[in-house]
Amino acid sequence: MPCPPFKEWSCKLPELPEVETIRRELEPLIRGKTFAEPTLHMPSTIAYPSPEEFTAGLEGRTVKALARRGKYLFIDLDLGILTVHLRMTGNLLFSETGMPGENRFLRVTLPFIDGTALHYSDMRRFGRLWLTADQQELEQVVLKKVGPDILNDVSLAEFLELLGKRQKAKLKALLLDQNFVAGMGNIYTDECLYRCGLHPERAAGTLDRDKGEELYQAIQDVLADGIKYGGTTFRDYRNASGALGEFQEKLGVYGRKDDLCSCGTPIEKKVVAGRGTYYCPNCQK
Ligand SMILES: [Zn+2]
C-alpha cells in the first residue's frame, strides 16, 4: 500500500515563525472544510470548555480562516474559534485519508466530513486546545496574559513605550515574556540581540532611543527571516511537498557555543532568565 498523503508540522519549542509557517501552509488545506465529531484520545488536552462541550461544539462547524497571535494558532469557524498552542512538543498533522499513520502520541483527532482529518499529537503533553464562542471569550479565557503580537500588532512607537515601562528588566527575560510582547522564544531572542549588538543581561532602561529602534528592527528582521526560511525547529515533514525549515542554517549564535563569531571571539553560553543563552561577549554590550 502506498504511503498515505500527510502533511505534518513537527517542531520543538515552536516560536512565532514556526506557528506562522504552520498557519500559512495549513490554511489552504482546511479552509471551507466542516468538522465531524472529534475523538479525544487524551481529554485533558482540551483546556476549555469541558471535553464534552468541546466535542459537541466543534462538530458541524466550518473553517473560515486561520489566524495567529504570538505562538497561539486560531482556527476561525463559522461559529466560534478553535485555538491551538503547541507548547514544547505539540505536533499537527493533516491527513488526506483521515488516518494518522503510526503515531504513539496521538492526543486529539479532528476529522472533517469529507474524510480528511487534522490530528494533534504531543509527546510531552503540554500543548492545549480551546474552543471559545467568540473573540470576547477568546480574550477572556485564553489571551488574558498574552501581549500584542510583536510582528503584526506593535509599532516602533508602541515598542519604545512598552520598553520604557520595564526599565529594570533584562532584555532576554523581557523579550521572552509573552505578557510584554507575544511571539519571541529562546532562539529568535538570542538571534535578534546578537544582530543588534545587545547583551542579553542588559537592562531595558539603559537603551537610548536609537538603540531601542535598532532592537525593534532586529526583532522584525529576524522573525521575517525565520518565516522566509520556513522556521527553525521543524524536525521532519512526512510529505515530500513540505520543505524542511532552513533557518537553523542561518543562525548567528544560537546553538553555536565555542564557534567563532565573525569578530573572531568564541561564542559563549550562559543561563539567563532560566534559559540557555548564546551571545558574543565582544559584539554584544
Ligand atoms: Zn563577535
Side-chain angles (χ1 to χ4, degrees):
M1 202 176 113
C3 196
F6 283 122
K7 188 153 178 72
E8 182 175 23
W9 296 269
S10 170
C11 1
K12 195 173 162 232
L13 288 168
E15 302 182 33
L16 187 156
E18 288 74 32
V19 180
E20 178 63 17
T21 299
I22 296 171
R23 187 193 73 76
R24 291 180 184 189
E25 294 182 358
L26 182 60
E27 186 178 59
L29 295 174
I30 66 170
R31 192 196 295 124
K33 288 180 186 275
T34 299
F35 284 106
E37 187 183 344
T39 303
L40 310 181
H41 312 285
M42 195 178 88
S44 60
T45 305
I46 308 304
Y48 182 89
S50 69
E52 296 75 22
E53 289 170 305
F54 178 91
T55 301
L58 191 61
E59 186 178 6
R61 301 276 61 86
T62 299
V63 176
K64 292 291 196 192
L66 269 63
R68 182 191 56 70
R69 177 153 140 203
K71 305 172 196 174
Y72 289 84
L73 179 68
F74 309 117
I75 300 178
D76 290 331
L77 308 166
D78 57 342
L79 193 66
I81 301 158
L82 172 63
T83 300
V84 180
H85 196 303
L86 302 169
R87 303 281 186 213
M88 298 181 74
T89 54
N91 181 356
L92 283 170
L93 183 152
F94 175 77
S95 165
E96 285 287 349
T97 65
M99 303 304 287
E102 199 164 306
N103 202 325
R104 284 168 59 205
F105 306 112
L106 193 59
R107 306 302 181 203
V108 177
T109 294
L110 305 171
F112 295 102
I113 57 174
D114 67 357
T116 63
L118 189 61
H119 296 278
Y120 178 77
S121 62
D122 194 345
M123 184 176 73
R124 300 283 301 272
R125 307 179 183 192
F126 291 117
R128 290 291 179 270
L129 275 65
W130 296 256
L131 182 64
T132 47
D134 51 28
Q135 192 65 34
Q136 196 187 351
E137 193 182 34
L138 174 70
E139 295 286 340
Q140 284 168 359
V141 171
V142 185
L143 300 175
K144 222 170 184 175
K145 290 183 179 171
V146 180
D149 186 82
I150 184 61
L151 192 63
N152 296 332
D153 299 331
V154 185
S155 68
L156 170 62
E158 286 164 338
F159 182 73
L160 295 174
E161 197 189 325
L162 287 170
L163 213 54
K165 290 178 185 163
R166 301 289 294 272
Q167 303 266 333
K168 287 181 182 164
K170 290 176 182 175
L171 291 175
K172 171 92 187 207
L174 193 56
L175 295 177
L176 287 177
D177 179 358
Q178 302 300 298
N179 198 359
F180 175 65
V181 289
M184 304 288 285
N186 209 26
I187 297 177
Y188 292 92
T189 297
D190 283 5
E191 288 301 308
C192 86
L193 291 173
Y194 176 64
R195 282 197 193 191
C196 61
L198 285 169
H199 195 283
E201 292 180 298
R202 181 144 164 198
T206 66
L207 271 58
D208 62 17
R209 201 200 138 80
D210 283 354
K211 208 62 201 173
E213 188 170 340
E214 259 185 71
L215 173 59
Y216 177 79
Q217 203 50 54
I219 293 169
Q220 301 299 316
D221 290 349
V222 81
L223 292 174
D225 282 356
I227 294 167
K228 180 176 151 195
Y229 292 108
T232 307
T233 57
F234 292 111
R235 282 186 302 244
D236 57 66
Y237 285 87
R238 284 204 223 168
N239 186 333
S241 75
L244 205 65
E246 288 174 355
F247 192 66
Q248 61 266 44
E249 290 156 27
K250 316 282 177 193
L251 295 174
V253 280
Y254 187 85
R256 296 188 51 202
K257 184 178 183 297
D258 296 334
D259 282 4
L260 294 185
C261 171
S262 55
C263 74
T265 308
I267 291 161
E268 290 185 8
K269 182 186 183 187
K270 71 184 288 190
V271 175
V272 180
R275 305 292 295 277
T277 298
Y278 298 86
Y279 66 103
C280 171
N282 182 42
C283 295
Q284 292 177 254
K285 305 291 181 195

